[in-house]
């Protein structure tokens, strides 16, 4: 399978808003100061541990240490995918 050029990957990271990507996956986000909070799709989440920072186009799951992503990177873990296709 051909590899996607790094320039294309970088362009997608810059052009795709994490907030819209998360919301299009059916995750409801609620405003919490400058950030948005929702239930993380990567684990059983009873509190809103998924934080999206629209100004930086980043997401972070506070329930799972080290889960941090920018754009499309880091969006697929196990069976669930924020992007929908893994």
């Amino acid at each position: 399978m051909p590899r996607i050029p790094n320039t294309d990957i970088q362009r997608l990271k810059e052009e795709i808003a994490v907030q819209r990507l998360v919301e299009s996956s059916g995750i409801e986000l609620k405003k919490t100061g400058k950030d948005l909070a929702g239930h993380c799709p990567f684990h059983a989440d009873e509190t809103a541990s998924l934080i999206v920072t629209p100004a930086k186009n980043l997401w972070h799951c506070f329930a799972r240490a080290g889960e941090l992503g920018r754009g499309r990177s880091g969006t697929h873990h196990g069976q669930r995918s924020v992007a929908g296709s893994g």
Side-chain angles (χ1 to χ4, degrees), residues 28-32 35-39 48-52:
E28 182 181 346
L29 295 174
K30 295 183 180 180
K31 188 127 178 94
T32 59
D35 297 323
L36 302 166
H39 295 281
S49 63
L50 177 69
I51 303 298
V52 174

Side-chain angles (χ1 to χ4, degrees), residues 9-48:
I9 292 171
Q10 186 61 36
R11 182 181 54 80
L12 289 171
K13 286 180 182 180
E14 293 169 2
E15 292 178 3
I16 297 174
V18 171
Q19 177 184 350
R20 292 187 63 203
L21 185 65
V22 170
E23 290 173 333
S24 72
S25 296
I27 298 167
E28 182 181 346
L29 295 174
K30 295 183 180 180
K31 188 127 178 94
T32 59
K34 63 181 167 71
D35 297 323
L36 302 166
H39 295 281
C40 184
F42 305 127
H43 59 90
D45 192 8
E46 301 207 9
T47 61

Side-chain angles (χ1 to χ4, degrees), residues 6 9 13 15 18-19 27 33 37 40 47-48 54 59 61-62 64 67-69 75 82 85:
N6 286 337
I9 292 171
K13 286 180 182 180
E15 292 178 3
V18 171
Q19 177 184 350
I27 298 167
C40 184
T47 61
W59 64 268
C61 177
F62 284 94
R64 295 181 64 151
E67 298 294 337
L68 172 67
T75 57
V82 169
S85 64

